[in-house]
Amino acid sequence: MILEATPPSTLESEFNPKISAEVRFDEAAARLGLDEGMQKVLRSPSREIIVHIPVSLDDGRLEVFTGYRVQHSIARGPAKGGIRYAPDVTLDEVRALAAWMTWKCAVTNLPFGGGKGGVICDPTLLSPSEIERITRRYTAELFDFIGPEKDVPAPDMNTNEQTMAWIMDTYSMHARHTQTAVVTGKPINLGGSKGRPEATGRGCMIVTEQALRRLGLERSSTRVVIQGFGNVGGMAAKLMSRAGFKIVCIVEWDCAIYNAGGLDIPALMKHRNETGSIAGFSGGEMIDKTEAMFLETDVLLPAAKENVITSDNAHRLRTKILCEGANGPTTHVADSILAEKGIFVIPDILANAGGVTVSYFEWVQDRQGYFWNEQMVNDRLEEIMINSFQDVVAYAEKHSVNNRTAAYMLALDRVAYAIKLRGIYA
Ligand code: GLU
């Protein structure tokens, strides 16, 4: 977590992502006038799997890890969504993230439902071979439930291409043939897609550009503060600075680096890769990491973790645009504060959908056995992100709601329609 946890706020429920997801669901469902039965269907995860996996540690001890996979919906296609490894993973968190994947895939009109997985473990305390054994045993336990037509995992917090390669291999060993399309986010030479590592950051940039256009702002004078410098924040910083945005501040878990004239992002990345931290970078000044979130800026891009914009701090934001690169960076209680302040919010289920969109391209390429060049991937990503942005903004205008509610309404409507067309099998 980059920001220190905010002290408990008025509502106990504020920091439970499942409650956040439900509050937003309820609001969108009420505005859509969805009938109660359909609300019940959309609210309930289709399947929740809990596994307790025994794993031998390097020192010979036997440990048991708990893993989850929640398939929230398969109404529009196979479940789709990442797997995270963290010591504080909870079933409620995985449930919320699985539902968000359903809405994310529906907003972007991808032929997928939504799912999410998690294993309770601390990757910083485990060796690579211990992580490999956890991954393989978790995959073996899930063998009957995942697959290219059933549920297609991908990387999420603390999992990466290597994790996906192990999952692909384990699944393939059980299936007795190589099945690359069982996961996305794989290494390029194992059926991965060009453009996948940059996809979430690129998607954030594309929707931010669309927002700038609507607000009549120029890219070259646009200041950007990014929280997180990893797969999402780091890529967004790299691509946005290359495109001419002024990245004035990067906020990391240990400190923040600020330069009013714009940071040299490739140099900052080099420094971080060499020293392990952005601290001590000579091309900017170190500022307080908590205060950095409240700098005056045009775009704030939280790309680290859930619950960083809360009822306790939302009133202090000084940005015109909030582009939610992370999943769930804003609590539901903070939503109305952002609305009062007139901040243009690009909600997570739209803003960070570039990742799953290129995951979809990867799944398509694996199934076709025909691989696209990077330009094709990027052009198709751009088309989907722009169309989705425009769909959400048009929906918000038509129904006089904010962008987040519009995104949820659009998504719920699409999933509900698919369920109605399919009918309920009895
Ligand atoms: N974990 C990413 C997300 O939350 C990617 C999911 C995917 O590619 O399936 O969107």
Side-chain angles (χ1 to χ4, degrees):
M1 173 130 174
I2 286 178
L3 285 183
E4 254 92 55
T6 321
S9 78
T10 42
L11 284 182
E12 269 292 293
S13 64
E14 178 168 4
F15 300 103
N16 182 332
K18 183 167 168 281
I19 295 178
S20 261
E22 283 172 358
V23 169
R24 278 131 179 191
F25 173 95
D26 288 345
E27 166 148 24
R31 296 233 182 213
L32 277 174
L34 273 188
D35 73 68
E36 224 173 283
M38 182 58 81
Q39 286 194 37
K40 275 189 196 158
V41 176
L42 293 177
R43 211 178 238 291
S44 324
S46 156
R47 186 183 263 154
E48 301 181 339
I49 304 146
I50 303 178
V51 293
H52 299 289
I53 45 179
V55 175
S56 301
L57 300 180
D58 291 348
D59 64 7
R61 271 185 307 127
L62 192 56
E63 189 54 270
V64 176
F65 295 87
T66 299
Y68 307 110
R69 183 76 187 168
V70 174
Q71 296 169 349
H72 173 260
S73 171
I74 50 165
R76 288 166 45 90
K80 184 84 193 82
I83 294 172
R84 56 175 55 185
Y85 290 174
D88 55 354
V89 169
T90 65
L91 183 55
D92 267 1
E93 175 191 5
V94 178
R95 284 175 174 145
L97 290 158
W100 278 330
M101 286 309 301
T102 303
W103 314 137
K104 202 184 291 189
C105 293
V107 164
T108 38
N109 233 338
L110 306 178
F112 287 134
K116 204 80 172 195
V119 177
I120 305 173
C121 65
D122 186 346
T124 62
L125 303 177
L126 294 162
S127 71
S129 59
E130 287 169 334
I131 295 176
E132 175 175 354
R133 290 196 289 279
I134 292 173
T135 303
R136 288 187 183 276
R137 185 64 191 247
Y138 173 69
T139 308
E141 295 293 336
L142 292 181
F143 179 74
D144 290 332
F145 305 103
I146 60 173
E149 311 288 344
K150 295 180 183 173
D151 180 358
V152 186
D156 199 77
M157 263 169 45
N158 299 327
T159 57
N160 54 30
E161 319 193 314
Q162 178 61 74
T163 328
M164 297 306 115
W166 289 326
I167 296 179
M168 191 280 271
D169 182 67
T170 308
Y171 183 89
S172 297
M173 289 294 115
H174 283 258
R176 318 299 291 166
H177 65 279
T178 295
Q179 184 52 274
T180 54
V182 62
V183 278
T184 59
K186 298 179 296 294
I188 291 274
N189 49 3
L190 278 182
S193 176
K194 297 220 165 89
R196 179 64 184 85
E198 299 84 10
T200 312
R202 186 178 293 280
C204 291
M205 175 173 77
I206 296 166
V207 289
T208 299
E209 279 170 342
Q210 294 299 305
L212 291 184
R213 253 187 227 181
R214 288 192 66 85
L215 302 184
L217 298 171
E218 283 298 322
R219 199 196 277 179
S220 57
S221 54
T222 297
R223 294 159 299 176
V224 185
V225 173
I226 301 181
Q227 184 196 39
F229 203 44
N231 180 38
V232 182
M235 289 297 180
K238 188 173 97 180
L239 296 170
M240 289 173 95
S241 72
R242 205 183 278 163
F245 288 85
K246 222 192 284 176
I247 315 296
V248 294
C249 187
I250 297 287
V251 192
E252 267 277 62
W253 56 274
D254 53 347
C255 71
I257 296 286
Y258 174 75
N259 184 332
L263 291 160
D264 179 344
I265 297 298
L268 181 57
M269 274 189 171
K270 189 162 172 277
H271 174 88
R272 193 268 320 265
N273 294 345
E274 283 166 8
T275 66
S277 165
I278 59 170
F281 178 60
S282 56
E285 56 178 300
M286 282 228 287
I287 60 168
D288 184 276
K289 65 181 197 288
T290 309
E291 291 307 308
M293 293 292 284
F294 312 115
L295 285 170
E296 192 183 339
T297 183
D298 301 298
V299 179
L300 175 64
L301 203 165
K305 225 190 126 82
E306 290 111 73
N307 298 336
V308 290
I309 298 169
T310 69
S311 59
D312 288 324
N313 67 21
H315 62 279
R316 294 189 59 206
L317 293 187
R318 290 190 293 157
T319 184
K320 298 188 179 94
I321 296 169
L322 176 67
C323 177
E324 296 182 337
N327 287 314
T330 306
T331 68
H332 64 280
V333 191
D335 276 347
S336 55
I337 305 171
L338 301 182
E340 274 162 30
K341 290 176 70 78
I343 294 175
F344 188 96
V345 177
I346 313 175
D348 50 3
I349 58 172
L350 168 64
N352 69 36
V356 72
T357 301
V358 177
S359 274
Y360 163 56
F361 298 159
E362 181 174 332
W363 178 77
V364 168
Q365 292 170 77
D366 286 342
R367 284 154 53 102
Q368 287 180 328
Y370 176 73
F371 289 85
W372 312 348
N373 64 39
E374 193 157 354
Q375 197 58 49
M376 273 167 83
V377 171
N378 292 345
D379 288 350
R380 288 173 177 179
L381 171 63
E382 185 165 20
E383 188 185 337
I384 291 184
M385 293 307 294
I386 292 178
N387 287 344
S388 310
F389 179 92
Q390 281 168 357
D391 283 352
V392 168
V393 169
Y395 213 91
E397 273 167 10
K398 185 168 163 208
H399 296 273
S400 305
V401 293
N402 64 42
N403 291 340
R404 192 187 312 281
T405 304
Y408 271 76
M409 286 171 75
L410 183 63
L412 262 60
D413 202 19
R414 284 181 178 159
V415 181
Y417 186 54
I419 293 171
K420 258 185 222 140
L421 286 176
R422 288 178 68 148
I424 303 294
Y425 176 72

